[in-house]
Amino acid sequence: QVQLVEFGGGLVQAGASLRLSCAASGRTFSSYTMGWFRQAPGKERETVAAINWSGTYYVDSVKGRFTISRDNAKNTVYLQMNSLKPEDTAVYYCAAGVSSSLYSWTSLRQSSIYDYWGRGTQVTVSS
């Protein structure tokens, strides 16, 4: 099994930055597809960003503002969030997929390819 724990959420003003971290267990972290998801009140869960061997991918609404990265030596994936907007307010979840060779945003945005999920961290952006 893989265990994921998110850190770094909080309350910030519009225009501010936050960096989320997700610490993962497992000896094969470097081979995982890693994703960040978010869910706002009354909304469906949305894929924000993903990273694996093929590259990095983002939903249109965060392109140019958010950056996903990973440090395989630390078994950690990050989401750097700049120029935050009130509409970014949500619970942010980290997820890992271990048995796929998929690529492209169309594939990596699908929740079904992820096998393990963190419990989430709240991000609140005030205006």
Side-chain angles (χ1 to χ4, degrees):
Q1 65 169 354
V2 175
Q3 296 182 341
L4 305 171
V5 182
E6 301 97 336
F7 300 94
L11 172 62
V12 299
Q13 296 184 187
S17 297
L18 281 174
R19 190 190 197 193
L20 304 183
S21 301
C22 173
S25 66
R27 292 181 286 105
T28 56
F29 174 82
S30 63
S31 68
Y32 300 164
T33 296
M34 301 298 298
W36 285 99
F37 297 76
R38 66 187 181 187
Q39 187 164 25
K43 301 292 185 65
E44 294 185 353
R45 186 171 59 198
E46 175 185 44
T47 312
V48 178
I51 183 170
N52 73 355
W53 61 271
S54 69
T56 58
Y57 306 87
Y58 303 92
V59 67
D60 286 346
S61 62
V62 310
K63 286 181 178 177
R65 299 190 297 122
F66 291 11
T67 302
I68 188 171
S69 62
R70 68 198 299 166
D71 185 338
N72 291 333
K74 297 181 179 179
N75 274 25
T76 301
V77 65
Y78 305 96
L79 186 67
Q80 178 67 45
M81 305 186 294
N82 298 328
S83 302
L84 282 162
K85 304 175 180 179
E87 51 262 47
D88 296 317
T89 296
V91 177
Y92 283 71
Y93 299 91
C94 176
V98 300
S99 300
S100 176
S101 296
L102 298 174
Y103 62 94
S104 84
W105 174 246
T106 300
S107 296
L108 272 59
R109 71 183 298 273
Q110 298 183 86
S111 296
S112 60
I113 77 165
Y114 295 91
D115 303 291
Y116 304 98
W117 295 79
R119 296 180 65 85
T121 185
Q122 177 72 46
V123 172
T124 303
V125 184
S126 66
S127 59

